[in-house]
Amino acid sequence: MRGLPALIWDGSVLDPEEGIRFRGMTIPEVQKALPKAPGGSEPLPEGLFWLLVTGEVPTQEQVHALSRDWAARASIPSFVEDIIDRCPPTLHPMSQFSLAVTALNHDSAFAKAYAQGISKKDYWQPTFEDAMDLIAKLPNIAGRIFRNVYGGGKLPAIEADKDYSYNLAKLLGYADKPEFVELLRLYITIHSDHEGGNVSAHTGKLVGSALSDPFLAFGASLNGLAGPLHGLANQEVLVWLRKMQSKLGQNPTDDAVREYVWSTLKAGQVVPGYGHAVLRKTDPRYMAQREFALKHLPEDPLFKLVSQVYNVVPKVLLEAGKAKNPWPNVDAHSGVLLTHYGLDQMNFYTVLFGVSRAFGVAAQLIWDRALGAPIERPKSYSTAAINQMFKDKQ
């Protein structure tokens, strides 16, 4: 079904040549237009959610009000805390994340309203409330999982006068690193939405079309995001880079990097972080992260290797004829940035991706219910039926 036009997704559209547009705005335009935190230079994700839902760029006051609203909704039920606390630390953080989000269905405004016979034309209102609660509660869930699995003591409280990314950083134990907080603002913004055909976005839309509430729908999204071909890609990039660094040492030559890339291809493996199902140019999300790195960590050894790989890999892939798009995607950079600030627990990276992706999925669920989108039910065929259809056409 790759590339098959089949979905309505209002928040963003992905162009093969120029990348993602959020409500018609490119990433550089979003970075310039959306409100920033005091003293910050990266867009606040609250502003991006406002843009995805309304199609309008919010004011600083509107974004601040949204930050405060989410902070007020941020607490999670005690039984959800118990579910997370009872998970063994060996259970993958994404499995714990999905469990906790699904359990929030217990207090779903939409499920309650549906059971009481709400009119179809009003479906969007409790869906909106659930979407707001979902996004608001994710930092507490993510923070609790992180501390249970990796240590860090008691979970601190959300600060009502701070923005979403600051509070997430605080719950992870990184609020004392302003640059990391800025990185989260950028990270959440650029990972929030990538039109509707990717696995996590489409799964949320599909499950939501059955009138499952946003908690159930996004829980399903997370299970899709946890797959190696989707949300695990950035940690695969980091593993590959570290293996290269271990073999070649610090400051390898371009020729040494080129030979390592060829050895990867000759072993029947792909170069992680390069190529994309839709894009045919360098992913603008990669460039946004690269610009952040050039500004804040230009001498980081792993970033220097990423830059070197950026100069080498596309030429090798073109020579090998292995990719329609030999350019880097968003995953080629994000793990290096997180590692620089000390967040090197790679199994947790997909949780951060999940927090981000909730913005796009939730925004579309609101619009699907407002527009009365029907349940998805594509036609399927067996392989025998397909063979029968084409047996006389060879």
Side-chain angles (χ1 to χ4, degrees):
M1 293 178 67
R2 176 172 291 185
L4 178 67
L7 301 171
I8 296 294
W9 194 270
D10 289 304
S12 62
V13 175
L14 181 58
D15 183 88
E17 299 298 325
E18 66 177 13
I20 198 68
R21 281 182 176 266
F22 300 118
R23 290 287 186 170
M25 299 177 68
T26 64
I27 285 178
E29 290 169 345
V30 163
Q31 287 180 287
K32 181 179 180 180
L34 292 185
K36 320 293 190 295
S41 60
E42 297 297 342
L44 289 169
E46 291 92 327
L48 194 280
F49 182 70
W50 189 290
L51 176 66
L52 292 177
V53 174
T54 70
E56 300 176 352
V57 174
T59 66
Q60 194 76 42
E61 292 74 20
Q62 288 169 328
V63 163
H64 182 63
L66 183 53
S67 297
R68 293 186 66 86
D69 190 336
W70 282 348
R73 297 170 180 255
S75 64
I76 58 178
S78 58
F79 80 91
V80 176
E81 294 178 343
D82 291 341
I83 289 173
I84 298 170
D85 293 345
R86 288 175 179 271
C87 289
T90 52
L91 183 63
H92 196 286
M94 279 298 283
S95 299
Q96 299 187 42
F97 199 26
S98 174
L99 280 171
V101 168
T102 301
L104 292 175
N105 151 267
H106 181 274
D107 297 326
S108 166
F110 179 84
K112 180 179 179 180
Y114 186 84
Q116 294 174 345
I118 187 174
S119 170
K120 289 182 178 180
K121 66 181 176 62
D122 296 324
Y123 280 173
W124 73 270
Q125 296 178 30
T127 299
F128 175 81
E129 292 301 322
D130 280 353
M132 291 284 282
D133 282 344
L134 169 67
I135 294 173
K137 296 178 188 304
L138 295 182
N140 263 323
I141 293 174
R144 196 174 196 90
I145 293 170
F146 184 82
R147 289 173 184 261
N148 283 356
V149 174
Y150 304 111
K154 185 179 179 181
L155 196 68
I158 291 280
E159 294 187 38
D161 61 339
K162 296 291 188 179
D163 66 270
Y164 189 84
S165 302
Y166 174 90
N167 277 316
L168 177 57
K170 179 181 179 180
L171 295 171
L172 298 177
Y174 290 87
D176 60 340
K177 297 182 177 181
E179 284 184 12
F180 181 82
V181 177
E182 277 283 271
L183 173 61
L184 278 186
R185 291 167 181 147
L186 173 65
Y187 182 100
I188 295 173
T189 297
I190 65 176
H191 284 82
S192 63
D193 204 29
H194 215 229
E195 73 171 30
N198 64 78
V199 171
S200 55
H202 185 202
T203 300
K205 182 180 179 68
L206 170 65
V207 175
S209 77
L211 298 186
S212 299
D213 63 69
F215 305 110
L216 296 179
F218 189 63
S221 292
L222 290 174
N223 291 332
L225 188 64
L229 295 183
H230 193 10
L232 297 190
N234 65 347
Q235 66 190 71
E236 292 182 347
V237 170
L238 196 54
V239 169
W240 184 74
L241 288 171
R242 283 177 166 170
K243 286 181 178 178
M244 184 193 303
Q245 197 175 49
S246 176
K247 182 174 182 178
L248 304 183
Q250 298 286 346
N251 303 314
T253 65
D254 285 354
D255 286 340
V257 171
R258 186 176 298 106
E259 182 59 33
Y260 190 88
V261 174
W262 272 114
S263 69
T264 298
L265 296 176
K266 290 175 181 178
Q269 301 169 352
V270 299
V271 178
Y274 280 74
H276 191 274
V278 178
L279 285 169
R280 295 297 174 261
K281 293 288 180 67
T282 297
D283 192 336
R285 299 172 299 171
Y286 174 94
M287 294 307 299
Q289 292 177 105
R290 177 171 172 77
E291 290 167 5
F292 184 95
L294 288 169
K295 178 180 179 181
H296 295 289
L297 47 131
E299 299 303 317
D300 180 271
L302 211 51
F303 168 60
K304 287 184 174 181
L305 182 59
V306 166
S307 297
Q308 196 170 8
V309 167
Y310 178 45
N311 291 325
V312 170
V313 166
K315 297 175 184 177
V316 172
L317 292 179
L318 286 172
E319 184 179 346
K322 291 288 186 180
K324 293 181 181 178
N325 170 26
W327 308 106
N329 58 53
V330 66
D331 300 309
H333 218 310
S334 55
V336 172
L337 295 177
L338 295 170
T339 298
H340 175 80
Y341 293 105
L343 188 63
D344 56 3
Q345 297 87 351
M346 290 190 294
N347 278 350
F348 193 77
Y349 290 175
T350 320
V351 174
L352 293 180
F353 196 164
V355 172
S356 310
R357 186 48 55 92
F359 286 56
V361 173
Q364 188 59 42
L365 287 172
I366 295 167
W367 275 104
D368 281 350
R369 300 292 78 76
L371 296 173
I375 189 171
E376 287 192 32
R377 180 56 171 90
K379 175 63 179 172
S380 65
Y381 291 94
S382 67
T383 52
I386 292 174
N387 285 333
Q388 183 67 26
M389 290 166 60
F390 290 95
K391 73 173 185 175
D392 298 325
K393 298 181 181 181
Q394 296 180 352

